[in-house]
Amino acid sequence: GDSVTQMEGPVTLSEEAFLTINCTYTATGYPSLFWYVQYPGEGLQLLLKATKADDKGSNKGFEATYRKETTSFHLEKGSVQVSDSAVYFCALSDNAGNMLTFGGGTRLMVKP
Amino acid sequence: DADVTQTPRNRITKTGKRIMLECSQTKGHDRMYWYRQDPGLGLQLIYYSFDVKDINKGEISDGYSVSRQAQAKFSLSLESAIPNQTALYFCATKPVSSYEQYFGPGTRLTVT
């Protein structure tokens, strides 16, 4: 079945540091890929998405590129802020777009 | 504002008790989902519903049941709660035409 693997956290960075959170997946067909973010005490929110190979999703300074050859969708940000502290989830959808499979989540802590 | 709400937000209950978690949405979405979140395991799907008459088991449905009372309401029940059902529970909705799921704020359930 489908699966998503992402790097374990927590990831601790200083403000303005570069962020990479790795995500790889296993899936049949051509899934869409997502990054969701969960701020403390809240539900998950969609951060960005990519629906086909070589697509780049971007939002709020975060980017991720759908790499079919390496089955990866790594999340990057050039300069993190304290307000980016949250848990980040990589996810993929089934071909029909109805079901999401999530990775285990990576907690990011940004220190001033 | 259109939203996904969950009640209660926090609940402590004893082993063997029956408990119901409720989810309501004003987004007009047909598809609704119940997830469980445990640290390091991401979100696991408990049940999902594509419309009022279509309810399906997810990957971890044992010990849970659901009711879709209306398009806007989807309830999760634990008939006889046990301590390993202590977790954070999320409801989500999705329109037919989009990949994005919209999450409620979560219910933190503790079974003692």
Side-chain angles (χ1 to χ4, degrees):
Chain A
D2 296 349
S3 66
V4 177
T5 303
Q6 58 183 107
M7 61 190 292
E8 293 189 16
V11 174
T12 303
L13 296 173
S14 297
E15 206 164 24
E16 299 184 1
F18 185 86
L19 169 71
T20 300
I21 300 177
N22 290 337
C23 171
T24 57
Y25 67 90
T26 302
T28 55
Y30 303 94
S32 293
L33 302 175
F34 306 86
W35 278 99
Y36 278 79
V37 58
Q38 183 183 26
Y39 297 105
E42 299 182 12
L44 281 70
Q45 305 171 26
L46 180 65
L47 179 61
L48 55 83
K49 67 181 180 187
T51 57
K52 61 183 187 296
D54 299 324
D55 269 2
K56 177 184 284 188
S58 61
N59 186 25
K60 300 181 180 180
F62 291 90
E63 294 182 339
T65 301
Y66 189 162
R67 301 289 189 197
K68 191 167 178 62
E69 64 275 13
T70 54
T71 61
S72 64
F73 193 55
H74 304 321
L75 182 68
E76 297 182 335
K77 187 176 186 182
S79 177
V80 294
Q81 306 300 312
V82 173
S83 58
D84 294 326
S85 299
V87 181
Y88 293 82
F89 292 92
C90 186
L92 64 81
S93 73
D94 66 337
N95 291 336
N98 289 319
M99 312 300 295
L100 287 175
T101 299
F102 288 90
T106 302
R107 181 176 299 278
L108 170 66
M109 296 167 40
V110 181
K111 298 185 175 181
Chain B
D1 282 344
D3 215 341
V4 182
T5 57
Q6 294 183 234
T7 55
R9 293 295 310 276
N10 288 281
R11 180 73 181 267
I12 300 173
T13 192
K14 294 185 184 296
T15 297
K17 294 292 188 181
R18 183 180 188 276
I19 184 169
M20 178 181 288
L21 310 183
E22 298 187 343
C23 176
S24 294
Q25 53 117 345
T26 57
K27 291 184 172 294
H29 295 166
D30 287 324
R31 285 152 166 69
M32 297 187 74
Y33 305 79
W34 274 106
Y35 292 94
R36 167 180 170 153
Q37 182 182 18
D38 296 280
L41 293 179
L43 275 71
Q44 297 174 280
L45 183 64
I46 306 173
Y47 270 95
Y48 61 102
S49 172
F50 285 173
D51 64 42
V52 175
K53 296 182 180 179
D54 182 8
I55 294 177
N56 304 278
K57 293 182 177 180
E59 54 189 311
I60 57 162
S61 60
D62 287 349
Y64 302 94
S65 63
V66 291
S67 173
R68 184 84 183 264
Q69 300 95 324
Q71 187 205 37
K73 296 184 182 296
F74 192 36
S75 301
L76 176 72
S77 293
L78 287 68
E79 296 300 326
S80 180
I82 57 176
N84 77 0
Q85 291 178 313
T86 293
L88 193 52
Y89 290 86
F90 287 103
C91 174
T93 72
K94 191 187 87 66
V96 173
S97 58
S98 167
Y99 291 108
E100 182 175 356
Q101 292 190 16
Y102 296 80
F103 285 80
T107 294
R108 184 168 297 281
L109 177 66
T110 302
V111 183
T112 62

